[in-house]
Amino acid sequence: MSFKQKVINSVFWSAAQGLGNQILSLIIFAVLARLLTPKDFGLVAMANVFLAVLQIFLEQGFTQSLIQRQELDQDYLDTAFWTTLVIGVLMTLFGVMTAPLFADFFHQPQLTLVVQWLSLLCFIFSLSQVQQALLERKFAFKVIATRLLFGTIIGGFIGVVMALRGYGVWSLVTQQIVQATVGTIVLWKVSDWRPRWYFSRECYQDLSNFGIHIFGFKIVSFFNDKANDFLIGYILGAVALGYYSLASRIFSIVTQVVVKTSQDIALPAFSRLQNEPERLCRAFSQATQFTSLIAFPTFSGIAVFAPEIIIVFFGQQWLSAIPLISILSLMGLLRSVTYFTASVFVAMNKPSWWFQLGLLKMFFNLIGFLIAYPFGIVAVTWAYVIRLYLAFPVGQWAISKLLKITWGEYLRQFIPSFVGSVIMILVIYSLKILFNYWLFSPVFILIFGSLFGAVVYGLAIYLIAPDIIQKIIEIVKIATSRKKIET
């Protein structure tokens, strides 16, 4: 199979299976949200902040380093595996021992056991990092999606059963542990690579030299992505964090479906093209354009239908999360066209640029939180989104320098999806006003409005840029064809 067909097949089938997996995750999440309280979700969100710190030290950028390398031998794999495993054990022990201090800091005694049990995830994750990297190098994203699906089904089933039996926050804790364990078992089952008892200082040094910048960026990313959870939980409390975590989870699930699948495939694909700048530039442009075609209408629709989504899926106790979902959707619009920035930096051997951009976002995020937190959770969410828009010009300048692509060329490719989304929003918002006046149910508004909006958006794209529709048809044909295609 040619490189082009391999990439398209990976995107197509990974996206298809990823969509099913995320829909299933959303259903399980919605059921748990109806059975549990915002405080339960807030407590687990607090514990996950601590877990995110441990995971930073767990990986150290080894996964990206293994994927990025043009040539990879057994010595590197063995060294990365045993290093990650030892760190995973140490992080688990550290989490168990320091959990009481973390719980005291938040004035939540119940957090001690929650953090101690979730610390086991560090050991579980350490067993899967190298296997995951190998599968991504081979573009085996169908296998990865299958792994996630099994973990989601079994972990979700056990979590829901425990919630029905009144286990509260422990339903969420058990769900995460079971899901990670099942996923790791499946990963080892489908992979034929096994580690030897071998460690090389030279390989470790080589991996570390590349990974140190990614490790630094992950520290910065923690402040960008988890600092809000930490500060909201500490200053505004577990209930406020529960509302924010639900909105963030919805945003995360949608991002996984419309953006993250393509990003995972982008790193190994871009890495193969690092010595062919023209092809890399074309691949980057096509990836961002096709992602925006899906992401723009999706996040726009979520912003408009946020009240109906909460009422239909999660229940009245989550109404306070409605404005947070709408605000985070604005971040989704921009993130969908900047998600490939990190993959380009890593593929072009510029991880330090990724780190520096993360530092800028962290600075904006902390300043924004300090200004916004006295005004409540809605203001904090606005500040979180605004910092991404402030950092966008800097990231785009770096991409333009690496790929020799002008601002005009870059932004022009988003015109069809942007205009189509604006037309769609105007139509479905007008429909919502009529439906609410006629007292139609939220279920009807959500279903009919979404379907009608999709039709309107599709027609708009066809009229604005029919050539894009033709490209999509060609990609689908390639993805479903068994014939080999020349690159």
Side-chain angles (χ1 to χ4, degrees), residues 320-360:
S320 296
I322 291 174
L324 309 184
I325 295 172
S326 298
I327 296 169
L328 287 178
S329 295
L330 298 177
M331 182 171 68
L333 294 175
L334 186 60
R335 181 167 283 189
S336 65
V337 300
T338 60
Y339 232 78
F340 298 98
T341 300
S343 297
V344 172
F345 289 160
V346 174
M348 297 292 286
N349 202 25
K350 296 289 185 181
S352 60
W353 290 21
W354 187 14
F355 173 65
Q356 292 165 17
L357 182 61
L359 280 177
L360 180 66

Side-chain angles (χ1 to χ4, degrees), residues 355-368:
F355 173 65
Q356 292 165 17
L357 182 61
L359 280 177
L360 180 66
K361 292 179 182 178
M362 181 185 73
F363 173 76
F364 286 149
N365 196 37
L366 293 177
I367 295 298

Side-chain angles (χ1 to χ4, degrees), residues 105-181:
F105 181 81
F106 279 98
H107 307 292
Q108 298 285 350
Q110 193 177 358
L111 265 181
T112 299
L113 285 176
V114 173
V115 170
Q116 287 176 334
W117 278 102
L118 285 179
S119 295
L120 290 172
L121 291 174
C122 290
F123 171 70
I124 298 170
F125 289 152
S126 69
L127 294 170
S128 64
Q129 298 298 315
V130 174
Q131 298 283 19
Q132 177 91 4
L134 283 172
L135 291 175
E136 289 186 22
R137 279 180 63 89
K138 297 176 183 177
F139 295 91
F141 288 94
K142 287 179 65 176
V143 174
I144 295 172
T146 302
R147 166 214 178 188
L148 294 174
L149 183 63
F150 274 104
T152 300
I153 292 173
I154 299 175
F157 175 77
I158 293 176
V160 170
V161 170
M162 290 183 66
L164 287 170
R165 292 180 175 271
Y167 282 93
V169 68
W170 293 105
S171 309
L172 299 173
V173 173
T174 306
Q175 179 199 16
Q176 289 192 36
I177 294 174
V178 171
Q179 182 171 329
T181 302

Side-chain angles (χ1 to χ4, degrees), residues 43-282:
L43 287 171
V44 172
M46 288 178 182
N48 282 331
V49 170
F50 184 77
L51 184 65
V53 176
L54 300 183
Q55 288 178 327
I56 292 172
F57 294 92
L58 173 63
E59 187 180 346
Q60 299 191 24
F62 282 5
T63 298
Q64 289 84 356
S65 183
L66 293 174
I67 295 172
Q68 189 269 348
R69 295 183 64 84
Q70 292 280 44
E71 301 294 334
L72 188 64
D73 59 39
Q74 178 76 15
D75 293 352
Y76 280 93
L77 297 174
D78 294 331
T79 301
F81 177 82
W82 293 114
T83 302
T84 305
L85 181 61
V86 170
I87 295 174
V89 173
L90 293 176
M91 290 299 100
T92 296
L93 294 175
F94 178 81
V96 171
M97 291 186 294
T98 58
L101 299 176
F102 186 77
D104 289 341
F105 181 81
F106 279 98
H107 307 292
Q108 298 285 350
Q110 193 177 358
L111 265 181
T112 299
L113 285 176
V114 173
V115 170
Q116 287 176 334
W117 278 102
L118 285 179
S119 295
L120 290 172
L121 291 174
C122 290
F123 171 70
I124 298 170
F125 289 152
S126 69
L127 294 170
S128 64
Q129 298 298 315
V130 174
Q131 298 283 19
Q132 177 91 4
L134 283 172
L135 291 175
E136 289 186 22
R137 279 180 63 89
K138 297 176 183 177
F139 295 91
F141 288 94
K142 287 179 65 176
V143 174
I144 295 172
T146 302
R147 166 214 178 188
L148 294 174
L149 183 63
F150 274 104
T152 300
I153 292 173
I154 299 175
F157 175 77
I158 293 176
V160 170
V161 170
M162 290 183 66
L164 287 170
R165 292 180 175 271
Y167 282 93
V169 68
W170 293 105
S171 309
L172 299 173
V173 173
T174 306
Q175 179 199 16
Q176 289 192 36
I177 294 174
V178 171
Q179 182 171 329
T181 302
V182 171
T184 299
I185 292 173
V186 172
L187 203 59
W188 278 77
K189 187 71 175 177
V190 299
S191 174
D192 57 1
W193 178 82
R194 294 294 182 266
R196 303 171 303 174
W197 291 98
Y198 180 82
F199 177 86
S200 167
R201 288 185 178 181
E202 291 76 13
C203 292
Y204 173 79
Q205 188 63 47
D206 197 11
L207 291 170
S208 297
N209 288 339
F210 181 90
I212 189 64
H213 299 291
I214 296 175
F215 173 68
F217 179 80
K218 286 182 179 295
I219 295 177
V220 173
S221 293
F222 166 78
F223 286 99
N224 284 328
D225 298 331
K226 291 297 183 181
N228 269 19
D229 291 15
F230 178 84
L231 295 170
I232 290 170
Y234 181 70
I235 297 174
L236 301 179
V239 175
L241 181 56
Y243 291 127
Y244 183 80
S245 66
L246 180 129
S248 298
R249 181 66 183 276
I250 294 173
F251 171 76
S252 176
I253 289 175
V254 176
T255 301
Q256 288 282 340
V257 173
V258 302
V259 181
K260 189 62 166 59
T261 296
S262 298
Q263 190 211 27
D264 289 341
I265 297 167
L267 176 55
F270 291 171
S271 296
R272 301 301 183 275
L273 301 175
Q274 58 184 276
N275 296 320
E276 302 177 69
E278 290 186 4
R279 291 184 66 193
L280 175 56
C281 184
R282 288 199 304 271

Side-chain angles (χ1 to χ4, degrees), residues 1 5 8-13 473-482 485:
M1 183 182 292
Q5 188 176 21
I8 291 177
N9 269 285
S10 296
V11 172
F12 187 86
W13 293 113
I473 293 173
E474 291 175 1
I475 287 176
V476 172
K477 287 181 179 179
I478 292 174
T480 55
S481 173
R482 294 183 179 274
I485 298 177

